Amino acid sequence: MEPRQRVTLDDVAAAAGVSKSAASKALNNRADVSAATRERVLAASEDLGYVRPETSAARSYPQIAMVSDDLATAYTIEVLKGAATAALHAGVALNTTYTPAAAPHEFPVPFEPEWFTLLKSTDYLGLIVLTSPLTREQQAAARRIGLPVVLIDPSGEQERGVASIGATNWNGGVDATEYLIGLGHERIALVGGPKDSVPARERHQGYLSALQMHALTVRPELISSGPYTYDTGLQQGRRLLALPADRRPTAAFAASDTTALGVYEAVREAGMRIPDDFSVVGFDDTEMAGWAAPRLTTVRQPLFRMGQEAVRMIVDHHRGRPMLTTTPVRLSTRLVIRDSAAPPR
């Protein structure tokens, strides 16, 4: 039998009903091609079994996609540093993007079905999602086409068979709260993270567990949630410090360093001092914790290593090693004591 004739770009263009130039632009994710054209070309390419020429640099240099909901935070930068370092050592390119609130629609954007298909058709080794919401349907769509996914500090529910990496957030929440309790604080506020964030929920549960283990009253008015932002800490700090003296907290556990610095500003606005009048403990141990005045006591999570581990898992999967998906990977946290907490007056 004669070997089957190789499918060419001309064949794909003919099947999609477009010019060869338009087919090439669509396959190369050019912005000057409509979404409808790109969808037809990708569908024709998949139906015909088209294999792009091996001369492409992207094919000779394997790639991993990494998507974050924000590229500007100290937390994100530290995770990216770990991922980029691991990718460099593995000889893999790390293609990083983010999910803006208003994304352009001239080309596929992260997590759309067309985008997953594009990654698979261009032989990406896998996808790392950093804190961005990824629905169970989107996780299942990636799994159906054989695209490995690793979630770092996921938001929302996790699909069975999808790997995830995080820190021991519950333990960190317990450690932060117990440290404040050990200093003598009884009215301790929680300035928590987003309600749909798995790490935020775990830190919240750690806070509650520590209060319960020490037979302290859980005061709902001292508990709040919101984005891991400076503004969240500032607004919630103002609210907490405006409570009547007999209900006002003497300390706060903030679910991120950025949030903790917002609480710092609220304390300053109130004419108070840290830690003389109010104690604060954060979470992350980013560089800003050491820059704060006074230096921030915080829970260190291994952000750099989290990025490294995510890349390693995808590279190992590509090399035929099984990816751990049944149990989330949890890396140890530890409390770093600095200058932002003291016994209450």
Side-chain angles (χ1 to χ4, degrees):
M1 294 179 62
E2 291 189 11
R4 190 172 105 178
Q5 186 175 359
R6 181 173 173 273
V7 177
T8 67
L9 183 60
D10 290 307
D11 298 326
V12 174
V18 300
S19 68
K20 183 177 178 180
S21 173
S24 176
K25 291 178 181 179
L27 290 172
N28 284 288
N29 198 26
R30 289 272 296 273
D32 53 345
V33 178
S34 70
T37 296
R38 182 175 288 104
E39 188 173 347
R40 292 204 310 274
V41 170
L42 290 175
S45 172
E46 187 172 348
D47 290 343
L48 295 173
Y50 173 65
V51 179
R52 300 177 70 186
E54 293 291 340
T55 54
S56 166
R59 292 180 64 84
S60 61
Y61 199 56
Q63 298 186 83
I64 294 174
M66 188 168 187
V67 180
S68 174
D69 58 351
D70 193 338
L71 295 178
T73 67
Y75 161 93
T76 303
I77 291 170
E78 191 65 21
V79 177
L80 287 175
K81 282 166 60 179
T85 300
L88 181 64
H89 291 165
V92 173
L94 190 68
N95 190 335
T96 306
T97 187
Y98 75 111
T99 51
H105 290 283
E106 293 82 17
F107 51 90
V109 296
F111 311 147
E112 289 183 347
E114 189 181 18
W115 185 79
F116 285 124
T117 303
L118 179 64
L119 291 189
K120 185 63 178 176
S121 68
T122 48
D123 290 341
Y124 273 74
L125 302 186
L127 167 65
I128 298 170
V129 180
L130 174 60
T131 67
S132 290
L134 190 68
T135 66
R136 297 189 68 168
E137 292 76 17
Q138 291 167 332
Q139 295 173 44
R143 190 179 182 190
R144 279 196 299 271
I145 64 173
L147 182 69
V149 176
V150 177
L151 308 177
I152 299 179
D153 280 348
S155 295
E157 296 184 26
Q158 186 175 331
E159 178 73 7
R160 181 177 177 83
V162 175
S164 72
I165 296 175
T168 51
N169 293 289
W170 181 87
N171 303 70
V174 170
D175 290 344
T177 309
E178 284 200 317
Y179 175 67
L180 292 169
I181 293 171
L183 290 173
H185 295 277
E186 296 184 357
R187 295 196 300 274
I188 301 169
L190 171 67
V191 185
K195 290 183 177 180
D196 62 349
S197 166
V198 173
R201 292 200 298 266
E202 292 172 345
R203 292 168 201 174
H204 187 165
Q205 288 302 317
Y207 160 84
L208 294 176
S209 296
L211 294 181
Q212 291 163 358
M213 285 187 287
H214 291 270
L216 294 177
T217 303
V218 176
R219 305 170 189 268
E221 71 272 19
L222 302 187
I223 300 173
S224 61
S225 61
Y228 293 121
T229 63
Y230 179 90
D231 190 59
T232 294
L234 177 60
Q235 298 303 325
Q236 292 302 325
R238 288 169 174 167
R239 181 186 68 82
L240 292 166
L241 295 174
L243 292 172
D246 61 339
R247 293 165 49 201
R248 185 185 309 145
T250 59
F253 165 38
S256 78
D257 291 349
T258 304
T259 306
L261 294 188
V263 176
Y264 266 44
E265 177 60 15
V267 173
R268 187 198 67 78
E269 287 181 352
M272 302 166 68
R273 293 182 299 171
I274 295 173
D276 298 356
D277 306 305
F278 195 84
S279 293
V280 180
V281 175
F283 202 107
D284 286 338
D285 196 29
T286 54
E287 287 185 329
M288 67 177 65
W291 300 340
R295 299 181 311 146
L296 177 65
T297 293
T298 187
V299 177
R300 175 177 295 170
Q301 58 173 333
L303 303 176
F304 188 90
R305 189 178 163 207
M306 286 158 64
Q308 286 182 309
E309 287 296 305
V311 169
R312 182 194 61 77
M313 290 172 72
I314 288 177
V315 171
D316 282 355
H317 181 270
H318 177 66
R319 292 173 178 170
R321 301 189 186 107
M323 182 184 289
L324 299 175
T325 57
T326 54
T327 304
V329 175
R330 291 289 178 262
L331 305 179
S332 296
T333 56
R334 69 180 180 88
L335 183 67
V336 179
I337 299 174
R338 295 193 178 96
D339 310 318
S340 62
R345 284 184 181 272

